[in-house]
Amino acid sequence: MEISKDQIAILLDHELYSSAQMLGCFLVSSSSVNPETSPHLKAENLIFLGDSLFREREFRRAIHVYKQALQYYKIIPKQNSSSSRTSISNRSSSPNSFNSSPINENEVKFKVASCYSALNETKAALAEMDGIPSKARTLQMSLLMAKLYRNSRHNRFAIACYKDCLRHCPYVMEAIIALAELGVAAKDITSIFSQASSKSVRASSDYVDSNRWLQRYVEAQCCIASNDYRGGLELFGELLQRFPNNVHILLEIAKVEAIIGKNDEAITNFEKVRSLDPFVINYMDEYAMLLKIKSDYSKLNKLVHDLLSIDPTRPEVFVALAVLWERKDERGALSYAEKSIRVDDRHIPGYIMKGNLLLSLKRPESAVIAFRGAQELRPDLRSYQGLVHSYLAFSKIKEALLAAREAMKAMPQSAKALKLVGDAHASNSGGREKAKKFYESALRLEPGFLGAALALAELHVIEGRNGDAVSLLERYLKDWADDSLHVKLAQVFAATNMLFDSLSHYQAALRINPQNEAAKKGLDRLEKQMKGVDPDAPEEDEENEVEDADAEQEENELL
């Protein structure tokens, strides 16, 4: 034959996939017209071509070629196929493996399943994997099987496959995290480690002692999965002492801090990660959301620019783009959030961002669907908050209360969950007394919880107890340099006609955050009050209207 399979194997080994794909077409063509070419060789040539297509991400073509190879495999004489099966323990089943060993039907099926998985066709991928006997599955096959079952919501089967992965190798971190999120107890996960170690040469006790950090890691992930954020952070903190500047642990800590509202701490840890490894993309959309909350648009712009230069195809990048565009064009931002979900339909921040944008666009019914999507993947505080606020936005108070109570049940030691129940009660006049009790309980549980203090102060104002609101908020001034705290104080002082005190707090809020829109509007309103002008009177300045129209046109052109 003019073209040898060894030549394409060399190209694949050197990762020259485009050339391998073109040469593969010659290889397959030459073998198909040669009547002396055996079915075994034809199948092998097709697999080489399929591998090059797989690496070029041409998954549909790869599936077609692999299936042609399987058809030839069926007519290979039995003595050849049996010898092929004996090779399974001597080679990798990875679709990235390109050695020239005899072909193996199970490996080709795995490659087909990997293509379907890359195309998000879970049902078709599972059908291929079901054709591989369980005893013949390698570690990589078991992991793919687990992911496919989980995506199909067959959690019991997913758990069994993830456990099988850990029996192969206790260090499959993806399996540990998945098992924790699927509700498997830490002791049940760590018991698999001792089973795995008993098969090895080392004694089980030596293994456990030298790998105690892995047990701590399991416990931390299980804490986070069960919404015990404080316990999880403590365990991750222990691990960080043993493994200083560990980027993965820092990211896990920052992610949890972002979820529970420890924004300053989370930002510090995200920035530390970026200083250690400026090319990290994992969780950078969480960091982008925090920068938006802080109105730090210069850092947000730089972050998005950096992420686009690293890998513009990742879902985190689309969420970060949504965060950046939210201020300019909420509908454009929504399209980016939706694209992040199309890229990865299990990317939780995409659903959270989509829900928040839909709330801003006054589409609370659709926001509920987005937050439910996040909750089905992994319930956390933000999805509960989104659900409660969405239901309240279209006066579904009963549903809001149910969601808030569900959060409180899932997180009994969370002050923020207690506040959610208070928010639901506070939405109608008959529930204000109950709301007050929940806000006070939240503050007893977490005395520094500013969100509960602001909500309780708002209740005081609604019921005419402005003095109580001021005394409550002023207690937080010494510990909190927070713009929202100053805005709330300014609003209370303005309501009691203490205009100069109100002015002082609006100015303080803008010193902390010059982009605070509530402070800008409040200050403008206050200045009109101080000049004796009705702040609610419409402005009829024709020149200003023309300038505003010009500015809007210019902004639209920029967008």
Side-chain angles (χ1 to χ4, degrees):
M1 188 184 296
E2 295 178 8
I3 301 169
S4 166
K5 64 181 182 181
D6 293 337
Q7 293 164 333
I8 191 172
I10 290 168
L11 292 172
L12 291 170
D13 287 341
H14 287 84
E15 300 182 5
L16 302 174
Y17 305 122
S18 183
S19 293
Q21 179 187 145
M22 288 183 271
L23 186 62
C25 291
F26 285 95
L27 187 67
V28 169
S29 176
S30 63
S31 64
S32 64
V33 297
N34 190 336
E36 296 179 3
T37 306
S38 69
H40 182 280
L41 190 56
K42 287 179 180 179
E44 225 174 18
N45 292 344
L46 284 163
I47 291 168
F48 275 123
L49 177 57
D51 289 342
S52 63
L53 290 166
F54 182 92
R55 291 311 301 262
E56 286 282 277
R57 301 185 64 80
E58 293 194 50
F59 300 119
R60 293 278 179 214
R61 289 182 69 194
I63 290 169
H64 177 67
V65 170
Y66 285 139
K67 288 195 171 182
Q68 283 181 286
L70 286 171
Q71 289 301 315
Y72 280 115
Y73 179 86
K74 289 177 181 177
I75 57 174
I76 295 172
K78 288 185 177 180
Q79 63 269 23
N80 288 346
S81 61
S82 62
S83 64
S84 295
R85 277 193 292 270
T86 61
S87 70
I88 191 165
S89 61
N90 299 322
R91 58 176 305 204
S92 169
S93 63
S94 167
N96 307 330
S97 174
F98 308 120
N99 59 51
S100 56
S101 301
I103 66 169
N104 180 285
E105 183 185 18
N106 294 328
E107 292 179 4
V108 182
K109 287 180 179 178
F110 172 63
K111 292 176 181 184
V112 174
S114 298
C115 290
Y116 279 127
S117 178
L119 293 165
N120 291 320
E121 296 183 14
T122 302
K123 189 175 180 180
L126 266 174
E128 291 296 329
M129 292 301 296
D130 282 336
I132 302 174
S134 57
K135 290 182 179 178
R137 287 180 201 146
T138 62
L139 174 58
Q140 200 167 11
M141 290 177 183
S142 294
L143 186 59
L144 178 62
M145 197 80 173
K147 289 177 180 177
L148 293 171
Y149 275 135
R150 191 180 183 192
N151 291 350
S152 305
R153 294 185 171 86
H154 295 142
N155 291 347
R156 187 164 59 87
F157 295 120
I159 288 169
C161 288
Y162 280 124
K163 285 183 174 181
D164 197 41
C165 290
L166 293 180
R167 290 187 191 98
H168 275 88
C169 173
Y171 298 99
V172 183
M173 311 300 268
E174 292 170 80
I176 291 172
I177 295 169
L179 286 170
E181 291 175 350
L182 287 165
V184 179
K187 61 181 177 58
D188 292 333
I189 299 174
T190 54
S191 69
I192 301 170
F193 300 161
S194 58
Q195 293 171 27
S197 66
S198 64
K199 297 177 184 177
S200 67
V201 177
R202 289 168 297 181
S204 177
S205 59
D206 293 340
Y207 175 88
V208 170
D209 289 341
S210 62
N211 290 278
R212 196 168 296 279
W213 68 268
L214 190 59
Q215 292 186 56
R216 287 284 179 267
Y217 182 83
V218 171
E219 290 164 9
Q221 291 291 359
C222 288
C223 282
I224 301 306
S226 63
N227 299 305
D228 178 9
Y229 299 118
R230 186 181 300 174
L233 284 175
E234 286 176 4
L235 287 162
F236 278 134
E238 283 181 35
L239 286 167
L240 196 60
Q241 288 181 349
R242 178 165 179 181
F243 303 98
N245 294 331
N246 182 311
V247 167
H248 173 65
I249 297 298
L250 282 168
L251 282 171
E252 291 295 298
I253 290 171
K255 178 193 74 173
V256 174
E257 289 170 338
I259 289 171
I260 64 176
K262 289 190 170 186
N263 295 350
D264 292 335
E265 295 92 329
I267 287 172
T268 299
N269 280 315
F270 278 129
E271 288 176 349
K272 186 171 183 180
V273 167
R274 297 250 302 157
S275 69
L276 292 166
D277 186 349
F279 300 103
V280 165
I281 293 183
N282 289 349
Y283 303 154
M284 285 299 115
D285 45 359
E286 303 274 10
Y287 179 39
M289 291 181 194
L290 295 174
L291 293 175
K292 168 70 170 55
I293 292 169
K294 289 291 182 181
S295 300
D296 197 337
Y297 292 104
S298 61
K299 282 186 180 177
L300 178 57
N301 267 298
K302 184 178 186 314
L303 174 66
V304 173
H305 179 271
D306 291 347
L307 293 176
L308 283 168
S309 68
I310 299 166
D311 184 353
T313 66
R314 289 276 294 268
E316 295 93 337
V317 180
F318 290 115
V319 175
L321 279 164
V323 175
L324 181 64
W325 274 84
E326 182 179 1
R327 189 170 60 138
K328 304 172 187 175
D329 176 9
E330 286 182 328
R331 294 187 185 280
L334 180 60
S335 70
Y336 280 123
E338 288 172 337
K339 191 164 186 179
S340 75
I341 296 168
R342 285 198 299 274
V343 171
D344 180 0
D345 62 3
R346 298 188 62 80
H347 190 64
I348 293 170
Y351 290 95
I352 298 291
M353 189 68 203
K354 181 180 178 179
N356 288 333
L357 286 165
L358 288 167
L359 264 181
S360 296
L361 291 164
K362 297 186 173 17
R363 294 168 56 189
E365 295 97 333
S366 299
V368 165
I369 296 170
F371 288 122
R372 281 290 179 203
Q375 201 172 49
E376 284 176 11
L377 292 169
R378 189 184 66 238
D380 67 30
L381 188 61
R382 291 175 304 180
S383 57
Y384 284 119
Q385 288 171 332
L387 280 172
V388 171
H389 297 151
S390 298
Y391 282 129
L392 292 178
F394 61 109
S395 302
K396 294 279 187 179
I397 296 171
K398 182 179 178 181
E399 288 81 354
L401 263 173
L402 285 172
R405 286 169 179 159
E406 192 181 327
M408 189 172 66
K409 185 178 179 181
M411 295 168 275
Q413 296 303 311
S414 169
K416 291 175 178 62
L418 288 171
K419 178 187 175 290
L420 275 183
V421 182
D423 291 342
H425 282 301
S427 62
N428 73 88
S429 56
R432 286 176 189 158
E433 195 56 39
K434 286 183 179 178
K436 181 183 173 186
K437 290 177 181 176
F438 277 102
Y439 292 147
E440 288 172 344
S441 295
L443 287 170
R444 282 195 295 273
L445 190 61
E446 191 180 323
F449 182 15
L450 183 59
L454 292 171
L456 184 56
E458 180 64 24
L459 272 186
H460 288 326
V461 171
I462 290 170
E463 296 181 347
R465 298 191 300 274
N466 290 354
D468 290 344
V470 169
S471 60
L472 170 64
L473 294 173
E474 284 182 336
R475 291 205 298 269
Y476 288 83
L477 281 175
K478 60 182 178 182
D479 298 320
W480 285 87
D482 187 276
D483 50 320
S484 60
L485 174 58
H486 285 285
V487 168
K488 180 57 70 178
L489 272 166
Q491 290 168 344
V492 177
F493 281 126
T496 53
N497 214 32
M498 299 172 68
L499 302 187
F500 286 102
D501 290 301
S502 178
L503 176 66
S504 171
H505 283 289
Y506 275 133
Q507 290 170 337
L510 288 170
R511 281 195 297 274
I512 295 168
N513 179 8
Q515 305 298 326
N516 189 308
E517 290 299 321
K520 288 179 185 177
K521 290 177 183 176
L523 187 59
D524 181 60
R525 184 183 177 87
L526 184 66
E527 286 173 347
K528 288 177 182 175
Q529 274 185 270
M530 296 176 84
K531 290 175 183 176
V533 178
D534 182 1
D536 296 318
E539 293 185 12
E540 297 183 1
D541 188 333
E542 189 175 330
E543 185 179 342
N544 284 345
E545 287 179 11
V546 172
E547 287 178 1
D548 289 344
D550 289 342
E552 186 176 350
Q553 184 178 350
E554 184 181 349
E555 182 177 317
N556 287 335
E557 288 171 358
L558 286 170
L559 291 172

